[in-house]
Amino acid sequence: MAEIFDPKPVEIKGFEIDERIMKLADKAEENCSAAFAEIDKTARINGERVLRAFINNKVSAACMTGTTGYGYDDMGRDTLDKVYAEVFGAEDALVRHTFVSGTHALTCALFGVLRTGDKVVSLTGSPYDTLEEVIGIRGKGNGSLADFGVSYDQVDLLPDGKPNLGEIFKKVKDAKVAYIQRSRGYSLRPTLTVNDIAEIVKAVKGANPDVVVMVDNCYGEFVESKEPIQAGADLIIGSLIKNPGAGIAETGGYIAGSKSLVEKCAYRLTCVGMGKEVGCTLNQNKLMYQGLFFAPEVVANAVKTATFTGEIMSLLGFEVYPKKGEKRGDIITAVLMKNSENLIAFCQGIQKGSPIDSFVAPEAWDMPGYDSKVIMAAGAFNMGASIELSADAPLREPFAAYVQGGLTYPTGRMGVLVALQEMFDRHCLKLF
Ligand SMILES: *Cc1c(COP(=O)(O)O)cnc(C)c1O
């Protein structure tokens, strides 16, 4: 008789992580339990809000299919805009896979709203690196806002990283757009919470009720149970390969806010007069819906991974941001790596612990839009998606690694442990 059951156990090879790192991981996780319970609570509130918006807007099977060509009467696209608007507490939204990145969506919003002679003021110090050329802080004659006669000013953050409300009050009096970046970007300043944004909006509107408050919402979506529109912002902008796409949307961005402002942005994205009514969705609708549906839970996993990373790195003696107990406004943990060897070992280790392209080693390179060399580890299903476990860093003082993402907490956690093992193997880490 043929043997139909082979009792030989199949050996599954686990991760070879030093026992001391594994012990530390257990301790770090234990220390995170209260924070994790909070994160689950937020995920539940946000998950329910997303489900409510799907139901209220009668998302149907027909919405999952897309259009080609001009994309007239694309029900999936138009309904998705409504769902996003409801989830973010906005009047309207523009959610498109044709936004090539977060920077593109932000650029579209800036050019959509600003006109020659207008002034835009950044209220949170210098904006994200890639926007410097868009605004015209770097480069000339290339079609930046400055080239079109839009002036720029900024209010630096106070030494403790808080917004300078007094200075904001003065500088927005003659501004058209007041620009807020919620997340820290490549800096160590604290991320703004939605309550911080509410305070800024109050100061801004008190000085000039007509100013358009625009928020770069990248990395912030679903981290709290409120979004900046509910704090009084007029427009929020973000990337679909970050939080709201949940690693499922393949590309794209969104803009949400008042109807008239969203229309101006749509006129800039497509054509004046056509706006939101054109733009085929090809096969992207279902992925964008699914991404939004999963986003509250995936963001919770990313925030858990970030919280765990902060905890274990501080147990190892590294300085981290946000500090323990500080309220989180985004999915990033910044770790001061002290030198470039540590930084590169960590980032290459994160790549090693990623599901895709684990066998390659990322190198620092001159990425378009950035001033210094940047190293980016992202072994992701969607290329460069930083809602997936990723670590990136400009190679400059103070050699901070910005770690974010993690579609699931168990894989995010292990990715970080693989990175620590890599650091240990390269003598970048002391264990006791
Ligand atoms: C990611 C990000 C952006 C946009 O970056 P892209 O890579 O162009 O999507 C803008 N601002 C902040 C704070 C970001 O984190």
Side-chain angles (χ1 to χ4, degrees):
M1 228 170 83
E3 189 88 46
I4 53 166
F5 177 67
D6 178 1
K8 252 200 331 258
V10 178
E11 213 179 302
I12 298 173
K13 197 159 170 274
F15 286 90
E16 280 156 20
I17 308 284
D18 189 286
E19 228 170 85
R20 288 164 293 180
I21 296 177
M22 292 308 281
K23 274 225 175 81
L24 215 54
D26 289 342
K27 176 148 189 249
E29 194 167 66
E30 227 176 271
N31 294 351
C32 290
S33 60
F36 283 12
E38 264 319 295
I39 294 164
D40 285 334
K41 213 154 93 189
T42 305
R44 198 185 69 213
I45 296 168
N46 288 331
E48 287 173 5
R49 194 164 78 239
V50 166
L51 177 61
R52 192 71 252 166
F54 271 66
I55 294 169
N56 285 349
N57 290 285
K58 298 192 163 66
V59 175
S60 65
C63 291
M64 300 301 122
T65 61
T67 51
T68 55
Y70 294 117
Y72 293 133
D73 298 317
D74 189 315
M75 189 169 91
R77 180 195 66 205
D78 295 347
T79 306
L80 183 63
D81 285 345
K82 289 186 188 138
V83 173
Y84 255 76
E86 181 172 334
V87 167
F88 287 151
E91 249 174 41
D92 203 358
L94 178 68
V95 189
R96 295 294 180 276
H97 77 272
T98 42
F99 283 124
V100 303
S101 64
T103 304
H104 182 209
L106 287 158
T107 301
C108 188
L110 287 165
F111 276 91
V113 173
L114 288 157
R115 300 290 177 267
T116 299
D118 286 344
K119 185 175 93 170
V120 51
V121 185
S122 167
L123 309 184
T124 42
S126 44
Y128 192 73
D129 299 48
T130 55
L131 285 162
E132 292 183 356
E133 280 183 81
V134 174
I135 292 166
I137 302 170
R138 275 192 286 131
K140 278 223 158 21
N142 50 5
S144 66
L145 283 172
D147 279 353
F148 283 92
V150 173
S151 60
Y152 171 78
D153 202 350
Q154 79 183 38
V155 180
D156 286 324
L157 295 162
L158 293 167
D160 66 356
K162 290 281 173 200
N164 186 339
L165 295 178
E167 204 56 27
I168 287 172
F169 192 85
K170 279 187 234 158
K171 286 201 172 167
V172 298
K173 278 197 187 330
D174 60 343
K176 175 72 175 288
V177 167
Y179 186 92
I180 297 171
Q181 184 182 304
R182 180 173 174 184
S183 173
R184 69 178 68 249
Y186 288 135
S187 91
L188 297 174
R189 60 105 159 156
T191 289
L192 299 179
T193 63
V194 175
N195 277 342
D196 292 333
I197 292 172
E199 245 178 68
I200 298 175
V201 173
K202 208 170 124 201
V204 170
K205 300 279 176 172
N208 177 0
D210 297 327
V211 75
V212 173
V213 177
M214 199 180 273
V215 177
D216 172 353
N217 207 26
C218 284
Y219 284 139
E221 300 91 349
F222 302 119
V223 172
E224 296 184 58
S225 54
K226 273 187 296 190
E227 295 293 334
I229 296 281
Q230 293 161 284
D234 298 295
L235 273 183
I236 57 173
I237 299 106
S239 162
L240 296 197
I241 58 169
K242 294 182 179 174
N243 304 17
I248 296 172
E250 292 183 316
T251 181
Y254 76 89
I255 297 174
S258 74
K259 206 167 188 64
S260 63
L261 290 173
V262 169
E263 180 167 71
K264 285 192 162 101
C265 300
Y267 279 5
R268 170 72 198 194
L269 175 65
T270 66
C271 313
V272 179
M274 291 183 192
K276 296 181 68 184
E277 293 177 72
V278 291
C280 69
T281 50
L282 305 175
N283 55 355
Q284 296 294 308
N285 274 341
K286 177 162 167 274
L287 297 167
M288 291 193 284
Y289 277 106
Q290 260 184 320
L292 181 65
F293 188 75
F294 276 93
E297 187 59 29
V298 168
V299 169
N301 279 285
V303 177
K304 282 180 186 172
T305 303
T307 307
F308 171 78
T309 305
E311 186 62 31
I312 195 163
M313 294 314 286
S314 39
L315 288 176
L316 284 164
F318 290 90
E319 206 174 312
V320 300
Y321 301 86
K323 298 201 184 305
K324 195 178 168 71
E326 207 178 304
K327 195 169 160 53
R328 267 192 180 275
D330 64 20
I331 63 169
I332 302 174
T333 291
V335 185
L336 287 200
M337 289 294 177
K338 300 173 190 159
N339 59 51
S340 65
E341 291 76 43
N342 289 354
L343 181 59
I344 291 168
F346 181 82
C347 291
Q348 294 186 343
I350 286 285
Q351 184 81 29
K352 263 191 161 178
S354 299
I356 314 294
D357 290 339
S358 57
F359 48 86
V360 306
E363 301 278 348
W365 64 296
D366 291 304
M367 285 183 64
Y370 292 87
D371 210 13
S372 35
K373 277 196 192 317
V374 180
I375 183 165
M376 287 204 170
F381 291 89
N382 292 304
M383 295 172 172
S386 45
I387 184 61
E388 306 187 43
L389 182 67
S390 47
D392 40 67
L395 241 60
R396 64 185 182 214
E397 293 279 357
F399 299 107
Y402 297 85
V403 190
Q404 64 274 313
L407 294 178
T408 71
Y409 170 66
T411 56
R413 175 185 182 277
M414 186 46 77
V416 171
L417 298 184
V418 172
L420 291 179
Q421 184 65 42
E422 184 68 18
M423 287 181 81
F424 181 66
D425 292 344
R426 294 195 204 176
H427 310 288
C428 293
L429 200 63
K430 281 199 193 77
L431 296 172
F432 300 99

